[in-house]
Amino acid sequence: MKWYIYLYPKRWRERYGIELITVLKQTGMSSRIMFDLLLGIIDAWHIELSERKILGFRMSQVLVLISLFNVLVITRLISLVGVFILGQIALIIAMLSFFLAMILLVANMFKVGIIPAFSMKTRLAKMSVGLMGSYAVFFIVFLVLTNS
């Protein structure tokens, strides 16, 4: 029963571990409690990963920088001459996703402020990161189609 605690992130265990052990001792283990613990583990890791920093940047900031670099690559190196229709469609979808992600990011900045806008705590930030993911997928499809 105590080994479930070790599946949670370290910060979570340090803050809530003792309380959870006490509650588990009082309630016992049932299939419903085990299921709730597994959902809690998934939720705790989701929160931990969405706030994790890479070299001092939040994940959303890293995605923004990568996408800006990709836009620079598109505008400088790749011409649309000779690209198949499918590649053009993938590029259009990628650019629309990027544009919408930037609009959501700016709207989030005006709504909650600049620093909180780059966290994953607001719905607009999550939607912006999701659009950045679709941008990345369609951009990769475009690159594959242009290089084939």
Side-chain angles (χ1 to χ4, degrees), residues 42-93:
I42 293 169
D43 185 49
W45 274 107
H46 173 71
I47 292 169
E48 176 75 19
L49 291 177
S50 64
E51 294 182 359
R52 184 157 294 176
K53 293 184 177 183
I54 299 173
L55 299 174
F57 292 99
R58 292 193 187 275
M59 298 278 280
S60 56
Q61 291 170 327
V62 171
L63 289 174
V64 168
L65 291 174
I66 289 170
S67 60
L68 289 176
F69 176 74
N70 288 334
V71 168
L72 179 68
V73 168
I74 284 178
T75 57
R76 299 286 179 182
L77 300 177
I78 298 174
S79 67
L80 292 177
V81 178
V83 177
F84 297 105
I85 272 292
L86 194 57
Q88 291 175 351
I89 292 171
L91 181 63
I92 290 169
I93 293 172

Side-chain angles (χ1 to χ4, degrees), residues 13 32 47 62 92 110 114 147:
R13 284 193 316 259
R32 180 177 169 92
I47 292 169
V62 171
I92 290 169
F110 283 115
I114 293 175
N147 289 327

